[in-house]
Amino acid sequence: MAEQALDAFRRDLRSWLEENVPGDLGPERTARLPEDERIRRLRAWQRRLAEARWVGITWPREYGGRDAGIPEQLVYVEEMARAGAPEIIGNLGIGIAGPPILAYGSEAQKRRFAPRILTADDLWCFGFSEPGAGSDLASLRTQAVLRGDYFEVTGQKVWTTLGHHADWCMLLCRTDPETRRAKGISCLLVDMKSPGISVRPLRQMTGEAEFNEMFFDAVRVPRENLLGELHGGWQIAVAALQNERGILYVVSMQILLKQARDHLLDLARERGAGRDALLRQDLARVYLGTEIFGLTCQRTLDKLLRMGMPGPEASIIK
Ligand SMILES: Cc1cc2nc3c(=O)[nH]c(=O)nc-3n(C[C@H](O)[C@H](O)[C@H](O)COP(=O)(O)OP(=O)(O)OC[C@H]3O[C@@H](n4cnc5c(N)ncnc54)[C@H](O)[C@@H]3O)c2cc1C
């Protein structure tokens, strides 16, 4: 993108954000809201962004995006952080579910799912990991048996981010019981309101419950909700996970962490924490940790820009 066009992109976004960022949805305020209220308000914020095409900017124009390249993505992350824009609650749908749906989905699936992902009418979660299949995802055992025009799904997933609020799930399951590894896996798009699904939040030591266990007990999924080919789910999973570690993620993680660190250091200065030698050491550790994290992000970004693919460092960031 030419420099002038990029400047115009930045100006447009900045002035839109100045007019539209809600003053009462900062991270500290939102964290104190009751959970359902927080989700409702963040959905409303995302809808506002979507109406002005300021979410899913890397998506094709035809499906509500802006065909944004790397320079615009960098500007986007910088400006959103600069404006203190609230969190985008549908990030998993926009960044991870949407791209494979657009790449592998039928036209009907694209038309059905894409607009609702952008507006946060549908929040998405990912049913990939299982108790016995984390790093070794290809050993997953959740089964989907094709019975005429529907699949019957039975099994368990774990670590499902946002599973307790999600409307839809991108689910990996074994459709060919004869193959034990990646070949017999399919990707289903599952309505989370389907009978037979139960979601159990996993409470963390912070008191929050972002992750869940999900149980599928003879859940019926219409055959038309198969994404891509039967037994062809592995390449979709790989595509989804690559998107997870894309540019927006790498840059925004770096900015968010530095903002949080600077906030902590300001607080520490204000309260005279520097007089305590042990606290001083802890703060120095936090400072160095975020600097090292920033360098790791830079390394990942460098590889992304040169090779179009994130390297293994991207997993450290996660
Ligand atoms: C913040 C966060 C959000 C997540 N959200 C989701 C989600 O929404 N949906 C979802 O499906 N999953 C999610 N996950 C799960 C995640 O994607 C991984 O599948 C999971 O963390 C890894 O599996 P595990 O925890 O069972 O670890 P394991 O696979 O048991 O690994 C434990 C440790 O052993 C090491 N290890 C494993 N195998 C080997 C080997 N062969 N050689 C050497 N070392 C090995 C690993 O590197 C790791 O350090 C999330 C995880 C995190 C941290």
Side-chain angles (χ1 to χ4, degrees):
M1 190 185 226
E3 213 164 294
Q4 273 181 342
L6 193 60
D7 285 345
F9 176 87
R10 188 187 289 277
R11 266 198 315 276
D12 285 353
L13 175 56
R14 190 175 290 186
S15 67
W16 189 88
L17 288 170
E18 275 163 9
E19 279 168 31
N20 289 280
V21 167
D24 57 351
L25 264 186
E28 282 167 28
R29 296 272 289 268
T30 30
R32 270 186 254 120
L33 289 173
E35 183 73 356
D36 286 345
E37 169 74 359
R38 186 177 77 86
I39 300 289
R40 191 185 63 71
R41 297 201 49 198
L42 288 173
R43 281 195 203 237
W45 161 239
Q46 187 177 320
R47 168 175 286 280
R48 199 139 116 205
L49 284 164
E51 281 163 0
R53 280 187 190 247
W54 287 123
V55 279
I57 60 164
T58 57
W59 286 26
R61 283 190 177 278
E62 192 190 347
Y63 294 103
R66 288 176 177 254
D67 279 319
I70 290 166
E72 294 114 303
Q73 291 178 56
L74 295 174
V75 166
Y76 181 82
V77 178
E78 281 170 15
E79 291 300 319
M80 294 292 272
R82 181 180 179 277
E87 168 192 356
I88 295 178
I89 189 69
N91 254 340
L92 289 179
I94 295 166
I96 313 181
I101 289 176
L102 294 179
Y104 296 95
S106 64
E107 200 48 40
Q109 286 172 334
K110 293 184 211 177
R111 298 277 163 213
R112 176 179 180 191
F113 294 115
R116 295 178 61 86
I117 290 178
L118 291 179
T119 53
D121 281 315
D122 290 340
L123 296 181
W124 281 71
C125 67
F126 289 83
F128 287 14
S129 309
E130 297 183 2
S135 307
D136 184 18
L137 188 58
S139 67
L140 63 86
R141 290 163 60 178
T142 293
Q143 267 219 342
V145 180
L146 187 55
R147 300 196 190 285
D149 60 353
Y150 68 90
F151 292 92
E152 188 180 278
V153 178
T154 301
Q156 183 189 347
K157 296 288 173 179
V158 72
W159 305 126
T160 322
T161 307
L162 221 71
H164 51 320
H165 291 296
D167 305 287
W168 285 86
C169 176
M170 185 171 259
L171 186 75
L172 287 185
C173 23
R174 190 159 297 287
T175 36
D176 180 0
E178 300 305 316
T179 17
R180 293 257 55 93
R181 305 291 300 168
K183 277 193 182 139
I185 290 173
S186 298
C187 181
L188 299 181
L189 308 177
V190 181
D191 184 343
M192 289 294 286
K193 287 184 288 300
S194 313
I197 300 181
S198 38
V199 178
R200 194 188 298 160
L202 292 166
R203 200 147 298 277
Q204 297 147 243
M205 64 191 290
T206 54
E208 293 165 293
E210 280 171 83
F211 312 109
N212 301 271
E213 291 178 292
M214 298 202 297
F215 300 87
F216 295 79
D217 182 10
V219 175
R220 288 188 177 202
V221 180
R223 187 180 178 146
E224 69 199 34
N225 288 9
L226 170 71
L227 182 64
E229 303 283 323
L230 186 65
H231 313 318
W234 188 252
Q235 57 174 331
I236 297 176
V238 171
L241 293 172
Q242 270 169 0
N243 284 311
E244 181 185 21
R245 289 157 196 177
I247 288 173
L248 291 178
Y249 174 72
V250 171
V251 178
S252 63
M253 286 306 286
Q254 185 180 354
I255 293 178
L256 288 175
L257 205 67
K258 281 206 170 145
Q259 279 181 339
R261 175 198 67 191
D262 292 344
H263 185 52
L264 176 72
L265 292 180
D266 285 346
L267 263 180
R269 273 188 214 104
E270 222 176 275
R271 298 183 183 182
R275 286 192 295 274
D276 180 323
L278 288 178
L279 266 180
R280 231 175 22 240
Q281 277 182 23
D282 284 345
L283 291 170
R285 245 196 304 274
V286 168
Y287 183 86
L288 288 175
T290 42
E291 287 302 301
I292 292 166
F293 180 78
L295 291 173
T296 307
C297 287
Q298 280 309 120
R299 206 144 53 106
T300 305
L301 188 60
D302 180 55
K303 202 169 266 182
L304 262 168
L305 296 179
R306 279 187 295 118
M307 300 163 71
M309 290 269 289
E313 309 80 27
S315 303
I316 302 175
I317 298 173
K318 184 171 183 205

